[in-house]
Amino acid sequence: MTQDRNLDWLISVDDHILEPPNLWLDRLPSKDHDRAPHIVTEGTSEYWVYEGKKLPTSGLSAVAGKTKEEFSPEPVTYAEMRPGCYDPVARLEDMDRAGVLASLCFPSVTRFCGQLFNEAQDHEFAFRLLQIYNDWVIEDWAGAAPGRYIPLTLIPLWDPALAAKELERCAAKGATGFAFSENPEPLGLPTIHDPAGYWDPVMAAASDLEMVVSMHVGSSSTLPSISKDAPFMANLAWGATRTSGTMLSFLFSGLFTRYPNLKIALSEGEAGWMPYFLERAEQVLDKQRHWVKRGVQLAGHAGTSVDLDTLDIRQLFRDHVFGCIIEDHHAIASLDEIGEDNIMIETDYPHSDSTWPDSIEVAQKLVAPLTPEQQYKVLRGNAERLYRFTPAEPPAAPRS
């Protein structure tokens, strides 16, 4: 019965790991340490080094424990971070405090879908590093507290066939999701519309294995830009809606028809914009499909192989697309249009958009207009179902 379900805890489908400095060093022979991502300290400065690149950690990626007045993009060291940023056991204390029963975490130094390894000069060694990360996130991070973490794995973006094999390997170890790019084109890779089917092995494996394609905003390694001189605050406020391009691309791609078990989650993209773009997609389909079906093409625009007469935008969305929200009241107000089964909660710990340490209070206020059944779905039920995840029992000790 729904009234027996605990609404005092949520499952966050978008948090972040600041990879511990020894992640790769502990799993490689000493001769390979300089080739792997590792921390270098110079005076008071600290940064990751990989293939000659210096990669400092932005202060906005580790604000947990700080007030808003203390937020800054200036680089931070691990000594300045809250331990929960990089330690799965320490993270549990922060999760308990905020009412977070379980968490799915995107990586940091590798970037959101492993772009660091995709850009590597030595892809053979990069794949080895990628597999080390996957084993670590499954065995060490999630394994540190069974039922508290949903492991999110990476794939070698440069080799879809190899990626499909890695998905099989990770699925056998218990993983149910992997990180993918919101738009591979800026990464120098084919789009999901590639006529040669570049991504088919990945999408087929994801469908067959029921591995959720999780895409974080910014996983195209691009920053939103309204114009060359638009203020950063304007760009940041506008940026999440670029996720609508990802949603529309998948809806019109034909992938959901070819791979019926394919599911995508749009992390940190919010969802209040979804009703408008679904409505607009239906209007475009209704008014423009006839000349498109005749094969007429506009210069610079690709055609489509989708059966436009049978394409059901709303049904495809309900069956395959999941929005992730932090504090999106418009999404909750539009739940009848979006669907109570298609929205999940995130806390974005330890980034500067995070609701921590007040995550459950913020989420409960957000879902207050909903029925108890709907509240449970948004707070945790949808995440449990999508990621086929059984959380641990909530801690017995009260939160402080």
Side-chain angles (χ1 to χ4, degrees):
M1 297 292 291
T2 301
Q3 57 263 34
D4 297 326
R5 290 177 172 172
N6 192 334
L7 300 178
D8 290 328
W9 295 85
L10 63 85
I11 292 179
S12 173
V13 292
D14 171 32
D15 293 320
H16 298 270
I17 296 170
L18 280 297
E19 295 88 344
N22 63 335
L23 191 161
W24 287 279
L25 303 187
D26 284 352
R27 293 159 181 81
L28 287 168
S30 57
K31 66 180 180 65
D32 289 326
H33 284 189
D34 286 344
R35 302 172 61 201
H38 61 280
I39 290 288
V40 170
T41 302
E42 292 182 353
T44 59
S45 299
E46 178 183 276
Y47 48 83
W48 286 88
V49 173
Y50 176 58
E51 288 196 340
K53 297 178 180 177
K54 294 182 178 181
L55 310 165
T57 299
S58 168
L60 296 179
S61 296
V63 304
K66 298 180 179 180
T67 65
K68 295 183 181 70
E69 291 76 16
E70 295 174 309
F71 288 4
S72 170
E74 293 297 314
V76 293
T77 66
Y78 276 76
E80 297 172 297
M81 296 179 195
R82 192 175 182 87
C85 293
Y86 53 84
D87 184 314
V89 177
R91 174 75 65 96
L92 292 176
E93 297 179 14
D94 290 348
M95 291 167 62
D96 292 351
R97 175 179 174 182
V100 179
L101 181 59
S103 170
L104 178 147
C105 298
F106 284 84
S108 296
V109 70
T110 75
R111 307 212 297 283
F112 296 142
C113 66
Q115 298 101 301
L116 181 71
F117 298 138
N118 182 61
E119 296 165 355
Q121 298 174 9
D122 185 345
H123 274 162
E124 183 177 354
F125 188 62
F127 181 59
R128 186 177 174 190
L129 298 173
L130 182 148
Q131 287 193 306
I132 287 174
Y133 177 86
N134 286 343
D135 289 342
W136 175 83
V137 81
I138 295 170
E139 298 169 4
D140 294 57
W141 182 267
R148 299 300 301 272
Y149 296 110
I150 303 172
L152 184 72
T153 58
L154 301 176
I155 61 170
L157 299 165
W158 62 90
D159 189 335
L162 184 63
K165 292 180 181 179
E166 181 63 7
L167 287 177
E168 292 176 0
R169 190 184 76 88
C170 292
K173 294 167 73 73
T176 56
F178 68 99
F180 190 66
S181 177
E182 63 189 351
N183 179 7
E185 188 173 45
L187 307 183
L189 297 166
T191 72
I192 61 169
H193 311 289
D194 177 47
Y198 179 87
W199 294 110
D200 283 359
V202 171
M203 300 304 166
S207 179
D208 292 343
L209 299 166
E210 298 183 81
M211 295 275 276
V212 182
V213 184
S214 300
M215 293 173 280
H216 195 286
V217 67
S219 54
S220 58
S221 293
T222 59
L223 294 173
S225 179
I226 298 170
S227 63
K228 66 180 181 180
D229 55 357
F232 169 77
M233 300 289 278
N235 286 332
L236 190 60
W238 174 68
T241 57
R242 62 183 153 157
T243 306
S244 62
T246 303
M247 182 187 80
L248 292 170
S249 287
F250 270 87
L251 288 174
F252 282 100
S253 70
L255 289 172
F256 293 144
T257 301
R258 287 153 51 203
Y259 305 113
N261 291 323
L262 187 64
K263 314 284 188 185
I264 67 171
L266 305 174
S267 292
E268 208 168 326
E270 303 295 0
W273 48 262
M274 284 179 169
Y276 164 74
F277 281 104
L278 289 171
E279 180 181 68
R280 179 58 181 155
E282 289 179 322
Q283 293 169 349
V284 169
L285 181 63
D286 175 57
K287 293 181 172 64
Q288 314 296 337
R289 75 176 187 274
H290 300 290
W291 65 263
V292 174
K293 283 165 49 183
R294 292 196 300 269
V296 179
Q297 292 191 23
L298 296 176
H301 295 269
T304 180
S305 58
V306 178
D307 184 345
L308 299 178
D309 287 328
T310 60
L311 182 60
D312 187 332
I313 295 291
R314 299 276 173 169
Q315 192 60 51
L316 282 182
F317 173 84
R318 293 289 178 94
D319 292 344
H320 300 276
V321 181
F322 296 81
C324 310
I325 63 174
I326 302 177
E327 295 182 81
D328 190 343
H329 291 270
H330 290 283
I332 296 301
S334 301
L335 198 68
D336 287 345
E337 292 184 71
I338 297 172
E340 62 189 50
D341 297 322
N342 295 77
I343 296 293
M344 301 179 291
I345 285 285
E346 57 184 65
T347 76
D348 199 32
Y349 178 104
H351 284 192
S352 57
D353 269 337
S354 181
T355 56
W356 190 87
D358 306 311
S359 301
I360 189 60
E361 289 81 9
V362 171
Q364 287 174 332
K365 182 178 180 181
L366 183 70
V367 302
L370 307 179
T371 66
E373 291 85 355
Q374 292 172 325
Q375 290 182 34
Y376 185 84
K377 286 183 176 183
V378 174
L379 289 175
R380 48 183 289 197
N382 291 338
E384 293 173 11
R385 175 176 54 87
L386 178 63
Y387 287 97
R388 295 178 287 124
F389 179 75
T390 301
E393 288 296 317
R399 298 193 305 276
S400 58

